[in-house]
Amino acid sequence: MSFTLPELPYAYDALQPYMSRETLEFHHDKHHAAYVNTGNNLLKGTEFEGKSVEEVVKGSYGKNQALFNNAGQHYNHIHFWMWMKPNGGGALPGKLEKKIVEDLGSVEKFKEDFIQAGVGQFGSGWAWLAVKDGKLTIMKTPNGENPLVHGAEPILGCDVWEHSYYIDYRNRRPDYLKAFLENLVNWEHVEEMFETASK
Ligand SMILES: [Fe+2]
């Protein structure tokens, strides 16, 4: 098995005005495609051939940096497309909201801290909501890293590489993160991942 570029789960213009067609065309068709192609070339002849993307991510971390970068970004982007939807944002599903309040204080505090994680990630990387030891936690990681290699299961991630927001928001990363939470997140999908991670 090798890496395959998934189709976007919505039309290229479906997330406008919060994420433009131009951004999604470049981000999916160029950037994600490059992680898939480079990852497949780097997989050849390694012990990771035939493994799932999660296994490649965990197995290559700290051992094969080039492969890890591309496998990590492939994993991150597969989910990033799914973590958004047209007319996203809005109220959180009940179970997820309850757990956020329990572990992170309140929905408002979670949003502030998630945005702060994304803003505070120096250079390229990701902001995350993850499940670790049965609790929700906010994390940030550089480059292609993700919570999987830190003993946690990601249930929501926001790409803060400039390729994800510079066309639409220029240098206004905080505005992009706010629009992501308020207008793009597919909370039902986040809750599904929360339930899977909690099993
Ligand atoms: Fe990206």
Side-chain angles (χ1 to χ4, degrees):
M1 197 176 72
S2 54
F3 298 157
T4 310
L5 182 66
E7 293 277 323
L8 277 185
Y10 30 73
Y12 286 95
D13 59 4
L15 302 184
Q16 299 193 125
Y18 306 107
M19 191 173 280
S20 65
R21 163 187 283 273
E22 189 184 359
T23 291
L24 282 177
E25 283 174 350
F26 273 91
H27 200 173
H28 178 271
D29 298 4
K30 306 289 183 197
H31 292 278
H32 191 175
Y35 300 131
V36 169
N37 294 333
T38 309
N40 281 333
N41 286 331
L42 292 167
L43 266 177
K44 280 179 199 153
T46 69
E47 63 188 294
F48 303 111
E49 262 188 313
K51 300 265 172 74
S52 70
V53 60
E54 289 84 355
E55 288 172 315
V56 180
V57 168
K58 288 181 191 171
S60 62
Y61 183 62
K63 288 184 189 157
N64 182 336
Q65 186 66 41
L67 176 58
F68 172 76
N69 290 340
N70 287 279
Q73 283 291 72
H74 179 41
Y75 175 91
N76 297 348
H77 286 82
I78 289 170
H79 293 287
F80 185 57
W81 311 133
M82 306 276 289
W83 281 320
M84 299 187 287
K85 68 171 189 180
N87 303 310
L92 275 64
K95 273 187 203 166
L96 181 66
E97 181 175 358
K98 188 167 173 278
K99 184 70 173 163
I100 284 177
V101 171
E102 205 174 292
D103 293 344
L104 302 172
S106 68
V107 172
E108 282 317 303
K109 179 82 167 66
F110 148 68
K111 287 179 177 173
E112 272 171 36
D113 291 350
F114 185 90
I115 290 171
Q116 196 44 51
V119 170
Q121 173 53 44
F122 185 74
S124 295
W126 292 75
W128 302 100
L129 177 63
V131 179
K132 187 170 190 180
D133 302 326
K135 287 200 160 192
L136 289 179
T137 181
I138 291 167
M139 303 173 75
K140 61 182 177 186
T141 58
N143 304 315
E145 262 185 47
N146 62 45
L148 287 181
V149 298
H150 298 289
E153 291 282 335
I155 63 168
L156 176 67
C158 186
D159 187 344
V160 298
W161 287 55
E162 287 187 348
H163 66 219
S164 195
Y165 65 89
Y166 215 83
I167 290 170
D168 300 322
Y169 298 87
R170 297 298 165 185
N171 61 331
R172 293 178 291 115
R173 192 189 284 190
D175 291 353
Y176 156 66
L177 281 151
K178 191 169 190 313
F180 176 80
L181 288 177
E182 300 300 339
N183 303 103
L184 291 172
V185 172
N186 180 348
W187 290 114
E188 288 70 35
H189 185 61
V190 177
E191 187 171 70
E192 273 169 35
M193 289 193 78
F194 164 64
E195 289 187 345
T196 306
S198 307
K199 276 175 190 161

